[in-house]
Amino acid sequence: MVVYLKIDLNCVPCLLNRVRYEIDLADVDSETGFKAMSRALEVLDSEFEFDKPGHVVSSEVHRAVYESLGDGDLYREKKDLSNQVARNLIDEFEGLSSFDFRRKVLASIIANSFDFGVMGHEAELGVEERFREELSVGSLDVDDTEEIRDFVSKSDKVGYILDNCGEALFDGILLDELRDIGDFELILFVRGAPIFNDVTMSDMEEIGLDEKVDRVVPLGERAVGVNFRYLSSGSYDALEEVDLVLSKGMANFESLSEVDGEYNIAYLFRVKCEPVSREIGYPVGSNIAKMSFKD
């Protein structure tokens, strides 16, 4: 299933739609917003090449947009909203901690829908009701959870790459489950700088995930997914150390597909767009728990 995910024509309107969304979030004057969009178009023009990975193009565009808009945490209010929705749902489903490994994985993937600014995927609309329904009747469209659990139990070091805020509270429940599976060093990877609704070091500390792991490693400079161009030396070394990487979210899947075969990776994500759907052969909305082994 894992493929090399190059830029797709449909990525362009989605990318620019997110830029427009970020300009709105920044609440800047028209001139500043115009300059940010102009900068995005300039970078897109220079980066848009047939065989270039989509996450690489997206990283360069959004790095330019964030710089144009002042390098702030543009999604701060959305992060807080996501965390509050997640807390409400965890309180409502008191039995989450007693779920088996597979259902905890499913819950964390359903929570991957707490995302903002993805064209055709709008997190604000009925997310709580959808979560309740999917957790009750939903399933994993790709279910390698037994293989993943078995690999975790035999590992000495396991890495876990976080994705979105809100979702990360459900990741915390899954991290507790991992602790019960085996005796290994657990390393948590977070974004090194604000990008989208993704979890940074301060976001992670706010919800206490640092207390559930042995080490927390920032991935490096601002980038979409795991962009090896912008990884810190420490995060690269930590990725090389682990026996298994659990990768949350579609952007991490897209970026790590470039190095498929170099790491043992468990991909846990929701399919949110048509280009990814076409490449992996599962429809938008599918829940994926896929194990990919090192060559």
Side-chain angles (χ1 to χ4, degrees), residues 213-282:
V213 299
D214 298 296
R215 200 177 358 146
V216 181
V217 179
L219 283 166
E221 297 180 35
R222 178 177 288 115
V224 176
V226 182
N227 188 318
F228 281 77
R229 176 177 179 180
Y230 296 114
L231 283 188
S232 65
S233 58
S235 59
Y236 179 82
D237 291 344
L239 284 170
E240 291 293 310
E241 290 175 24
V242 299
D243 302 303
L244 172 67
V245 177
L246 285 93
S247 168
K248 285 302 300 296
M250 195 173 73
N252 289 329
F253 164 70
E254 291 181 69
S255 53
L256 287 171
S257 69
E258 281 190 82
V259 292
D260 183 47
E262 296 181 28
Y263 301 92
N264 296 308
I265 305 175
Y267 294 106
L268 311 175
F269 68 100
R270 167 73 64 89
V271 179
K272 297 176 184 172
C273 72
E274 288 295 342
V276 171
S277 170
R278 286 199 306 273
E279 291 294 342
I280 69 173
Y282 290 88

Side-chain angles (χ1 to χ4, degrees), residues 18 78 82 85 89 105-118 120-132 134-135 163-168 170-171 197 248-250 268-272 285-287:
R18 187 179 274 260
K78 299 300 183 184
S82 297
V85 168
L89 288 167
V105 168
L106 176 61
S108 76
I109 292 174
I110 295 171
N112 183 234
S113 63
F114 298 177
D115 203 359
F116 298 89
V118 179
H121 172 85
E122 191 46 75
E124 283 102 333
L125 301 177
V127 63
E128 295 184 43
E129 185 57 39
R130 289 202 309 273
F131 182 91
R132 294 185 189 101
E134 289 193 47
L135 191 59
D163 189 31
N164 299 324
C165 289
E167 170 189 356
F170 290 88
D171 292 326
N197 191 34
K248 285 302 300 296
M250 195 173 73
L268 311 175
F269 68 100
R270 167 73 64 89
V271 179
K272 297 176 184 172
S286 297
N287 299 315

Side-chain angles (χ1 to χ4, degrees), residues 60-78:
E60 298 306 326
V61 169
H62 287 292
R63 284 170 64 86
V65 169
Y66 268 76
E67 182 181 3
S68 298
L69 296 175
D71 281 326
D73 193 351
L74 300 178
Y75 290 71
R76 181 67 265 162
E77 291 185 7
K78 299 300 183 184

